[in-house]
Amino acid sequence: MTDSITTHQATDDARNAEIKIYVNGELAPRDQAKISVYDSGFMLGDGIWEGLRLYNGTWAFLNEHMDRLFEAALALDLNIGMDRAGVIKALEATRHANGMTDNTHARLMITRGPKTRPFQHPALSQSGPTMVIICEHSTPSIPRPIRLATVPHMRGLPMTQDPKLNSHSKLNCILACIAAEKAGADEALMLDVNGFVNTTNACNFFIVRKGAVWTSTGDYCMNGITRQKVIDLCRANGIPVYERNFSLVDTYGADEAFLTGTFGAQTPVASLDGRSIGSGKLGPVTTRLRALYKDLIAQETT
Ligand SMILES: Cc1ncc(COP(=O)(O)O)c(C=O)c1O
C-alpha cells in the first residue's frame, strides 16, 4: 500500500529535532537523553504511560490523566516516587524548557527502573523508577479517513493483561497493527473474547447508526479519556449514545464510524475490511461531535 498513514500522523516540525527531554529530573537534549539498557521498561515493557495534549498553556483533562496514571501504578505495584503535584511539576518543567504553549503532545513514561540483573523479577529493580517525559511540537495531520481491517488478535480478559492498563508492553496491539497493515489497512479493529467489536489497536472505536452513537461496553478496551468525553458530550447534547455489545454486521452497516484518542480527538473511518462505512467520508454526527469536543477543550483550557 503506497498511501499508508497512521492515526498519530503529525505535520513535520523541525523543532522536534532539538527538544529537551525529561529523564529523572534532568532535561537533556534529545540526542543525549538516555536510560539504562537494564531498565525494566526497555527489557520487559514493565512500565506505564500517559499521552497528554497541551492547549493554550493548559494540559487538557489533567486530573483524568493523573487518576489513570496513579491507578495503573497501584495495579503494577510500582512506586512512582512522587505525588501528583510532583508529576505535574515535571510535565510543566518539560514543556516550559521547550517553550511550548500549544499544539504539544506529551508522552509521560514511568518504569520500575534499572534492574540489577537482566531477568524478569520486579524485585531486581532496586534503584527506583525511571521517569521520562517527551514533549513534541505536534499538529495532527491525518490526510484522509482511516481504513481499518479486522484482525485475529483479541482484546483479552482482565485476568491476563488487563486491556485497561496503559502498559509499556503493547505487543498484542502492535501485532494487531502489523496484521492490519499487511491487509492493506491503516489500523486494526480488534474484537473482544466474545466476538463483539471492541476497539482499535491504539484508539477507541465508535459507530453511528440512525443518528445514535454506539461504542463497546468498555469491558475490554482502554478506558479512554476521549472516549468518556464523547459519551458525556452525547448525553449533554441529546445525542443517543449506547455502550453495548455489537457485531461486525452492525459495523459494516453503520452510517459512520470514528476513532477517539487524545492525539487525534475524533478521527473518521473510511472503510472496514474493504467495505466502505457509510459514504466513507467524515459524516454529520462525527462532524458535530468534533465541534462539541473542540468547544469542550476550549472551555477546559482557557
Ligand atoms: C489501546 C488504546 N486505546 C485507546 C486510547 C485512547 O485513550 P485516550 O482517549 O485516553 O487518549 C489509547 C491511548 O492511550 C490506547 O493506547
Side-chain angles (χ1 to χ4, degrees):
M1 176 131 273
T2 50
D3 67 340
S4 79
I5 61 173
T6 81
T7 52
H8 290 73
Q9 210 154 296
T11 51
D12 286 339
D13 193 321
R15 293 174 298 172
N16 285 330
E18 308 291 333
I19 51 173
K20 293 198 178 69
I21 294 177
Y22 178 102
V23 184
N24 293 329
E26 306 288 328
L27 282 150
R30 179 181 172 140
D31 57 356
Q32 288 163 39
K34 303 220 166 32
I35 58 156
S36 165
V37 293
Y38 277 80
D39 194 88
S40 67
F42 169 73
M43 209 174 262
L44 294 143
D46 179 10
I48 49 175
W49 64 277
E50 282 294 317
L52 301 99
R53 280 192 81 79
L54 183 75
Y55 296 88
N56 197 20
T58 303
W59 295 102
F61 315 126
L62 186 57
N63 277 336
E64 288 88 336
H65 283 285
M66 289 300 117
D67 284 349
R68 191 168 64 184
L69 180 75
F70 276 83
E71 233 172 63
L74 269 182
L76 263 65
D77 199 25
L78 191 167
N79 183 355
I80 291 181
M82 58 175 81
D83 60 12
R84 287 163 81 107
V87 175
I88 293 168
K89 203 169 153 201
L91 254 179
E92 283 289 271
T94 311
R95 67 110 170 168
H96 281 302
N98 289 293
M100 293 163 166
T101 53
D102 212 357
N103 292 327
T104 298
H105 197 91
R107 193 172 182 102
L108 163 63
M109 296 166 271
I110 302 170
T111 76
R112 207 178 300 277
K115 302 177 92 73
T116 50
R117 298 176 59 221
F119 299 101
Q120 187 192 100
H121 202 292
L124 295 171
S125 286
Q126 289 176 3
S127 49
T130 300
M131 186 189 292
V132 173
I133 304 172
I134 300 175
C135 286
E136 285 192 337
H137 301 282
S138 159
T139 304
S141 170
I142 304 168
R144 59 162 171 75
I146 292 296
R147 297 174 190 140
L148 296 177
T150 313
V151 296
H153 309 83
M154 279 186 306
R155 304 299 289 186
L157 289 161
M159 70 279 212
T160 50
Q161 188 165 324
D162 194 326
K164 285 191 167 49
L165 274 176
N166 232 355
S167 58
H168 268 219
S169 170
K170 285 277 176 190
L171 205 47
N172 188 36
C173 296
I174 291 166
L175 292 175
C177 190
I178 291 169
E181 271 218 308
K182 302 268 184 211
D186 308 308
E187 183 147 324
L189 185 67
M190 301 173 77
L191 307 181
D192 69 22
V193 291
N194 297 308
F196 295 114
V197 169
N198 194 261
T199 184
T200 76
N201 56 274
C203 299
N204 291 112
F205 180 74
F206 288 74
I207 58 173
V208 180
R209 289 178 61 94
K210 299 191 194 318
V213 172
W214 298 16
T215 193
S216 67
T217 59
D219 286 341
Y220 304 95
C221 62
M222 174 63 58
N223 44 349
I225 291 166
T226 324
R227 173 187 188 275
Q228 190 58 50
K229 296 295 170 192
V230 165
I231 293 169
D232 294 347
L233 282 171
C234 287
R235 288 187 180 136
N237 290 279
I239 303 170
V241 59
Y242 306 107
E243 291 177 83
R244 57 180 294 175
N245 287 322
F246 61 94
S247 70
L248 283 173
V249 173
D250 302 311
T251 309
Y252 295 137
D255 304 315
E256 301 173 40
F258 61 92
L259 315 180
T260 64
T262 295
F263 178 89
Q266 295 78 34
T267 305
V269 171
S271 64
L272 171 61
D273 301 331
R275 295 143 169 95
S276 178
I277 303 292
S279 68
K281 300 196 171 71
L282 174 65
V285 176
T286 312
T287 303
R288 181 163 177 222
L289 284 167
R290 274 160 65 129
L292 289 168
Y293 185 78
K294 207 171 161 205
D295 289 348
L296 177 67
I297 293 275
Q299 285 161 32
E300 297 274 327
T301 60
T302 42

